[in-house]
Amino acid sequence: MNDAATPTPKDPPRYDFAAAEPRWQAEWDRRACFAVPDVPPADAKKYYVLEMFPYPSGKIHMGHVRNYTLGDVVARYKRARGHLVMHPMGWDAFGLPAENAARERGIHPGKWTWDNIANMRAELQRMGLSLEWAREFATCDAAYYGKQQKLFLDFWKAGLVERKESWVNWDPVDGTVLANEQVIDGRGWRSGALVEKKKLSQWFLGITKYAPDLLAALDGLDRWPERVKLMQANWIGRSEGARVRFRLTDAKAAGLDEVEVFTTRPDTLFGMSFLAVAAEHPLAAAAAARDPNAAEFVAECRRMGTSEAAIEQAEKRGYDTGFRVAHPFLPGISFPVWIANFVLMEYGTGAIFGCPGHDQRDMDFARKYGLSVLPVVLPPGEDPATFTLGDVAYTDDGKIFNSDFLNGLDVPTAKRRVIEKLEEGGQGVGVVNWRLRDWGISRQRYWGCPIPVIHCDACGAVPVPEDQLPVVLPEDVDFSRPGNPLDHHPSWKHVACPSCGKPAVRETDTCDTFVDSSWYFARFCSPQAAEPVTRAAVDAWLPVDQYIGGIEHAILHLLYSRFFTRAMKATGHLQCEEPFAGLFTQGMVQHESYKSADGRWLYPEEVEISANADGTRSAVVKGSNEPAVIGRVEAMSKSKRNTVDPGAIIGKYGADTARWFILSDNPPERDMEWTESGVAGAFRFTQRIWRLAANAAPALPPPGTPAEGATGAARKLRQATHRTIAGVTEALENFAFNVAVARIHEFANAIGETDAAASAEGMGAARREALETLARLVAPMMPHLAEEVFSVLCPGAGKLVAEMEWPQADPDLLKAETVTLAVQVLGKLRATIEVAAGAPEAEIFALAEAEENVQRALGGKPVRKRIHVPGRVVNLVV
RNA sequence: GCCCGCCUGGCGGAACGGUAGACGCAGCGGACUUAAAAUCCGCAGCCCAUCGGGCGUGGGGGUUCGAGUCCCCCGGCGGGCACCA
């Protein structure tokens, strides 16, 4: 134990992170510590660490700091474990914000983007990340997107590209296509006009061809979070059911003979009470053509926007078209055809049959419009004579009734039976339906990758010849007009048809930015290649061993990347199918929000927080001392002003402190709360490690002094050292970085307690071992401090921690001599006993029952059962 | 609305189905100091209390010798929903 009253004789100078961090960054750079070849040597254990590359918004935010810190810990740890680690960085540089900046502030999207990149690169470099900057690229560089155009053309040749019509959000006032996020409460965000759906001809990638494989292959992704795989599986949405054809009784008026419906519940066909089609369905158009009220209803549905959330949350409404369809099995019986706003044109056939008894949405609809409700599945224990339904549909299994040839069957059997019957009569067919739709990539925007197609009146859509790639965006564009600047550029789109030479026009749509991010991980393997990728490089480096990013990308980005990898394989660009072998999804960074008394949002630096004696806290506005309200902890956002600038934090405390706090706060998959006191605590710990090492260094034996043969306090320290190695290693392997931090705190406490015992036998060597180990264990998390500490312990070693291998725990020092067992009576803790490791069970039970407190709890009753879990617990049952 | 998560002291969290609260932050007490900062030592889930006991992991139920952990129901908060990235 330390003598509390004795001050440290000579405190060393404080750790000067501001000088040390740039110095070590320069040293790593000078030695090219993080460079790897495009094609690794055959005997190398490759490991590809990748964090989702950032959108260059202008400044890095705490979410970036967290993301790249997590990735850097993995990269540095794996490097120390002897892997050849590739860890690149680039920019997801196309997208809407650059165009918004152009429209709002008159800055060219290109200039805005490249300036942002320069700024953010400098900020990232201050974090001390083990990145190989030589591989950097931006997706808005023609050197990148030109290769993407080549991939598009290859996919086209392989039959994976199609031109189809689809619906977009249209702002009739601005004359612009809107993104879903630009539609607020059904209105355009700038014009305020009611948004309409509009049909456009667009380019699609054939992701649905891979639906079965994208679903099946999820099983093999054993290092992906289960919930992400579940979300993807639900998104792909395989369902078994039937397509059923309903004959229209008034075919002439409708201009169609029949309506085809997809259903997963063909067993409830006899409980049908109506048929409903989407507003975009041809039958709805037919109804609208002859009935102005139907036309009005269709027009109303068009004002709902295209997002599924908006459609499903809208009030369920419908319109009776007056058309009727015949029941496939009941001659003479027909049902009304409605247009319904909750039927999605994109799913199934855009038409459903409504069975209110066994589908809640149909039930709500039937009750609202007074349609009949006939139950056809009888719940167990109910009497068919008396069973009725209120407003709640019955969706579980039961016995079919009221259903002709299906009566008496259970639901699965009835499904098979009715499909057989439909197929016999040619009225329908059993099918597998997929929720996944083809990927529409056309965007009516300037700041994206031009789709390399030329439209010719004579030849149709013609691919741009490969020797004319890249199709480069024009620089001189006008954002003062609404719409797509590429479209109204005076000359850019006018070209000769590559096929017939007559005047033709370029495609003026650009790619969805998800396309850019669907293959960047492959490009990193050979970022300068003349082709999209170099086979030898991608085949060696892919798949990414550890991919790290936000859960918000769980479905789209990851699914599109999985599709792209398959499409690139099909077109001979690479050989793997799954791009990301391991996936980790991090939580968001949150912060308290603050408001002034009059309700204005306040920045954290505008308020002064003080602690009250009862543990609560209060806040005042700095300067004025007016009271402020401490609000809830929420995701950092500019609108709520609860943001913290990473640059300011790094300037005040250093990169290592920011990294350490981020890692220590909580498990990385959860949302974390950024707190000023937490950062300050992390900063104190950096100083504490520095003091431990700098104070001890002068008295330590020379580097390389063997630590074996220690006894007493020295052996205890060595045990702590080796248990910490084991504990930190396990924690890092499990992504439990907060636990790794806790183990290192415990270790620092253990080293601190050895001061007064420094004269014990072997203590000097044990302390050297402990401190050198401490430096190496913190290195993935606080790389600069690790180098600084190590250089003080081993001056002139000529080797960096970044170049050293990971410490190994000595199994002999991990063994415990005695164990503490909990003694329970009926599952309640009554005592603990200390026994030698491996003591016989009989002796343990005797010892446990001899405890006074245990005796009292037993109360003289005989012990009926004795449970012993070695090393853990004894439970006595009376 | 649909799909997927999360919920443990004042706070962040730890815990192979086996001693709930490791470690840290904030707090309290002490040492050092003219003083402060920094640092060091100690206390600390809640309730009753002397040993000790009772209650406790969002709420309710269940399985088990034993549940924060497994199962069912409910509540609150968050992510995604195909043109934000």
Side-chain angles (χ1 to χ4, degrees), chain A residues 498-533:
Chain A
S499 178
C500 69
K502 289 193 198 122
V505 289
R506 285 191 189 285
E507 170 70 60
T508 58
D509 285 353
T510 52
C511 284
D512 178 4
T513 56
F514 271 124
V515 177
D516 312 337
S517 55
S518 290
W519 70 285
Y520 78 106
F521 47 87
R523 181 71 184 168
F524 273 138
C525 302
S526 51
Q528 273 90 38
E531 290 293 300
V533 294

Side-chain angles (χ1 to χ4, degrees), chain A residues 208 210-216 218 228-241 262 264 308 346-348 431-437 555 559 562:
Chain A
T208 53
Y210 290 93
D213 183 44
L214 288 167
L215 180 66
L218 288 172
V228 173
K229 291 193 276 184
L230 241 177
M231 283 191 261
Q232 292 220 347
N234 288 334
W235 186 262
I236 296 166
R238 181 183 194 278
S239 62
E240 292 181 4
F262 172 74
T264 58
E308 190 177 312
E346 291 83 8
Y347 185 75
V431 292
V432 171
N433 190 57
W434 301 86
R435 205 185 82 96
L436 184 67
R437 309 199 296 258
I555 297 174
L559 194 62
R562 295 180 64 218

Side-chain angles (χ1 to χ4, degrees), chain A residues 47 69-70 72-78 80-81 223 546 548 584 660 663 668 724-744 776-782 806-807:
Chain A
Y47 199 92
T69 298
L70 297 175
D72 202 46
V73 173
V74 175
R76 287 178 181 270
Y77 170 70
K78 289 292 177 184
R81 294 302 300 254
R223 289 198 297 120
Q546 187 63 59
I548 304 169
F584 187 88
W660 186 252
L663 296 165
T724 304
I725 294 171
V728 171
T729 303
E730 189 193 345
L732 293 185
E733 290 284 349
N734 293 332
F735 267 81
F737 301 130
N738 57 323
V739 179
V741 166
R743 296 288 163 268
I744 286 169
R776 291 159 67 191
L777 292 178
V778 299
M781 300 178 265
M782 296 196 281
W806 193 247

Side-chain angles (χ1 to χ4, degrees), chain A residues 556-866:
Chain A
L556 292 179
H557 162 59
L558 293 171
L559 194 62
Y560 290 150
S561 298
R562 295 180 64 218
F563 159 67
F564 241 77
T565 307
R566 284 162 171 76
M568 287 175 76
K569 184 185 180 191
T571 49
H573 288 285
L574 43 72
Q575 70 177 13
C576 76
E577 296 199 333
E578 286 297 340
F580 312 121
L583 173 68
F584 187 88
T585 54
Q586 62 176 53
M588 292 182 307
V589 182
Q590 308 184 314
H591 197 279
E592 266 179 348
S593 54
Y594 309 101
K595 271 185 178 179
S596 62
D598 56 342
R600 275 180 312 115
W601 293 106
L602 298 168
Y603 287 107
E605 55 270 25
E606 291 180 280
V607 297
E608 182 92 55
I609 311 269
S610 54
N612 306 326
D614 64 356
T616 61
R617 296 170 313 137
S618 41
V620 294
V621 180
K622 270 183 201 165
S624 72
N625 273 343
E626 285 165 32
V629 182
I630 301 179
R632 30 182 288 181
V633 176
E634 300 188 66
M636 287 188 180
S637 79
K638 279 179 196 149
S639 63
K640 299 205 169 129
R641 300 196 164 181
N642 61 339
T643 55
V644 173
D645 171 29
I649 295 294
I650 292 173
K652 186 170 174 190
Y653 297 108
D656 282 342
T657 292
R659 295 167 58 122
W660 186 252
F661 172 58
I662 274 178
L663 296 165
S664 67
D665 187 63
N666 68 350
E669 67 274 16
R670 286 202 215 165
D671 291 347
M672 75 165 285
E673 184 189 355
W674 187 272
T675 60
E676 189 65 21
S677 56
V679 186
F683 178 72
R684 285 199 297 273
F685 190 66
T686 62
Q687 296 294 347
R688 177 142 188 254
I689 290 184
W690 170 250
R691 266 196 315 278
L692 279 175
N695 282 335
L700 291 177
T705 306
E708 284 77 17
T711 57
R715 182 170 165 87
K716 274 186 77 178
L717 178 60
R718 294 205 66 213
Q719 285 180 323
T721 301
H722 287 262
R723 279 186 197 135
T724 304
I725 294 171
V728 171
T729 303
E730 189 193 345
L732 293 185
E733 290 284 349
N734 293 332
F735 267 81
F737 301 130
N738 57 323
V739 179
V741 166
R743 296 288 163 268
I744 286 169
H745 268 283
E746 287 167 341
F747 187 35
N749 290 343
I751 297 173
E753 282 167 14
T754 60
D755 276 355
S759 59
E761 191 180 344
M763 191 47 125
R767 297 196 82 210
R768 168 167 284 288
E769 178 191 44
L771 289 163
E772 286 181 17
T773 302
L774 179 64
R776 291 159 67 191
L777 292 178
V778 299
M781 300 178 265
M782 296 196 281
H784 313 89
L785 178 66
E787 300 289 3
E788 194 76 2
V789 164
F790 192 79
S791 72
V792 162
L793 294 171
C794 305
K799 202 168 179 190
L800 300 182
V801 181
E803 298 165 330
M804 294 169 67
E805 63 187 31
W806 193 247
Q808 288 278 328
D810 177 348
D812 184 52
L813 289 163
L814 295 178
K815 287 188 208 128
E817 285 89 18
T818 64
V819 291
T820 307
L821 288 180
V823 182
Q824 300 176 335
V825 177
L826 284 171
K828 278 193 184 294
L829 180 72
R830 296 302 169 182
T832 58
I833 54 174
E834 188 84 9
V835 299
E841 215 166 52
E843 189 181 308
I844 289 169
F845 286 134
L847 216 59
E849 283 168 53
E851 284 285 316
E852 189 192 326
N853 220 30
V854 172
Q855 278 300 317
R856 188 168 32 235
L858 290 173
K861 284 173 245 161
V863 178
R864 227 181 58 222
K865 193 169 170 188
R866 294 179 176 83

Side-chain angles (χ1 to χ4, degrees), chain A residues 56-78:
Chain A
S57 57
K59 299 190 97 176
I60 62 170
H61 55 67
M62 279 301 170
H64 294 130
V65 177
R66 192 177 197 199
N67 193 183
Y68 303 134
T69 298
L70 297 175
D72 202 46
V73 173
V74 175
R76 287 178 181 270
Y77 170 70
K78 289 292 177 184

